Amino acid sequence: MTSSTAVLEAEHVTRRFGATLALDDVSLTVRAGELVGLLGPNGAGKTTLLSLVTGLRRPDLGTVRLFGGDPRDPASRVRLGLTPQETGLPATLRVGEVVDLVAGHYPDPMPRGEVLEWFGLADQARRQTGALSGGQRRRLAVALALVGRPRLVVLDEPTTGLDVEARHLLWAALREYHASGATVLVTSHYLEEIEALAQRVVVMGGGVVLADDAIAAVLARVQVRRVGFSVAADGRAAGDAGDVVGRLPGVVGSRRDGDRVEVLASDADALVRALVADGVAFTGLEVRGASLEEAFLALTGSTPAVTSPPPRPTEEMAR
Ligand SMILES: Nc1ncnc2c1ncn2[C@@H]1O[C@H](COP(=O)(O)OP(=O)(O)OP(=O)(O)O)[C@@H](O)[C@H]1O
């Protein structure tokens, strides 16, 4: 397989669940040897896309291919390792038994001891999976995705519920596995995680692909901050604020609600300096990270800026 071979392809894929349009004309190609991060907030469509390209569901429209074949065909899936978001492990089986069970489906699996050691589970081999902590279960799920030495690994939010140490252990394992020549597709809510792992990032929101680029290029695009301030509802201050906001090159969107002005700006410092320099009488200044979705929706112009409700602030999303 050459490095340009597509291992996973979605072309103009649409998928509905009742009235919900989960994917709206999505196209994505992942080539052999890539480590791709699929980033997006809850409901963006990431899991749905993975379910189509791994053959768990069918698209309503469009085509999907896995290793050039139909993802629903077991022959296409034999080189795929998958960790779904929810992992139903048989609670009464021991960790080592589950590893053996899964390994038995592959022609050249990793030795049990090696894979357990790799994921920090060597001393859990004789424990029943039902007795594992949430984090240990998560690590075991990823270990099971890799035990058959798949050429493509698809991981849906693999680090959910892991503490910092376990997350870093998992990132290191994925980087190492990728370095051995595998292709990796990993979803996350967190830019920090994708930044640590991926070379290329695909950002989804509202069922569409909002950006697909090298991580550095995407990071440069999401350095957007939300600046909020109040001005007198009418009169000179409001006009001045509008003028200043309109003049600044880094402003990607703005909204006025009564006396409150909300601006999405790539350079919040410059915006505030300009407001002060122009003598705009503002009060109640707030500067905080915009959510990725806000930033991308604003940048792509696909929806009026700053209209979504404030994102739930998290350490990783607030930038
Ligand atoms: N089985 C289903 N039945 C009904 N609606 C669904 C189903 N699966 C997904 N959806 C809807 O489709 C949309 C996309 O969901 P999806 O799970 O693909 O998003 P996601 O990006 O993976 O989100 P999360 O990060 O929360 O896992 C959401 O509006 C979701 O409610």
Side-chain angles (χ1 to χ4, degrees), residues 15-18 20-23 40-49 57 85 156-157 187-189 204 207:
R15 182 61 154 92
R16 284 183 182 277
F17 295 102
T20 305
L21 183 57
L23 292 176
N42 288 128
K46 306 179 298 295
T47 301
T48 304
L49 181 59
R57 287 202 174 92
Q85 234 175 66
D156 199 357
E157 294 175 30
T187 77
S188 180
H189 290 167
M204 292 190 69

Side-chain angles (χ1 to χ4, degrees), residues 96-284:
E97 289 170 339
V98 177
V99 173
D100 291 346
L101 189 71
V102 174
H105 287 84
Y106 294 94
D108 177 31
M110 291 181 205
R112 175 215 273 206
E114 189 181 306
V115 76
L116 290 180
E117 185 71 39
W118 198 21
F119 285 92
L121 293 168
D123 51 1
Q124 308 293 326
R126 295 193 49 75
R127 272 186 106 181
Q128 292 184 322
T129 68
L132 295 179
S133 72
Q136 289 167 333
R137 259 200 294 278
R138 219 50 217 142
R139 277 184 276 153
L140 177 57
V142 178
L144 294 176
L146 298 184
V147 71
R149 304 186 202 269
R151 302 311 301 143
L152 169 66
V153 192
V154 174
L155 305 131
D156 199 357
E157 294 175 30
T159 60
T160 303
L162 294 187
D163 62 24
V164 173
E165 195 185 335
R167 198 182 313 170
H168 288 175
L169 186 143
L170 202 93
W171 289 350
L174 289 178
R175 276 194 292 258
E176 195 181 323
Y177 194 67
H178 171 249
S180 75
T183 309
V184 180
L185 177 61
V186 55
T187 77
S188 180
H189 290 167
Y190 302 123
L191 184 59
E192 177 210 61
E193 174 151 287
I194 297 297
E195 205 178 346
L197 277 178
Q199 300 158 334
R200 170 183 161 203
V201 59
V202 176
V203 184
M204 292 190 69
V208 300
V209 172
L210 298 170
D212 180 353
D213 212 332
I215 190 88
V218 170
L219 282 172
R221 291 177 65 191
V222 295
Q223 302 299 323
V224 177
R225 297 185 75 77
R226 180 195 277 251
V227 181
F229 54 91
S230 299
V231 288
D234 45 39
R236 187 173 163 268
D240 288 352
D243 286 351
V244 174
V245 168
R247 268 204 324 269
L248 279 173
V251 172
V252 293
S254 65
R255 184 177 71 141
R256 185 74 199 275
D257 184 9
D259 63 355
R260 195 73 191 157
V261 181
E262 297 273 330
V263 185
L264 283 179
S266 57
D267 189 343
D269 297 336
L271 174 66
V272 174
R273 276 199 300 272
L275 289 170
V276 172
D278 282 43
V280 177
F282 63 82
T283 56

Side-chain angles (χ1 to χ4, degrees), residues 9-18 20-23 47-65 69-74 77:
E9 290 168 286
E11 277 177 19
H12 302 293
V13 163
T14 294
R15 182 61 154 92
R16 284 183 182 277
F17 295 102
T20 305
L21 183 57
L23 292 176
T47 301
T48 304
L49 181 59
L50 295 192
S51 72
L52 302 185
V53 294
T54 57
L56 302 176
R57 287 202 174 92
R58 263 186 247 269
D60 295 330
L61 292 173
T63 51
V64 284
R65 277 184 294 274
D70 180 349
R72 296 179 72 84
D73 178 353
R77 294 159 57 129

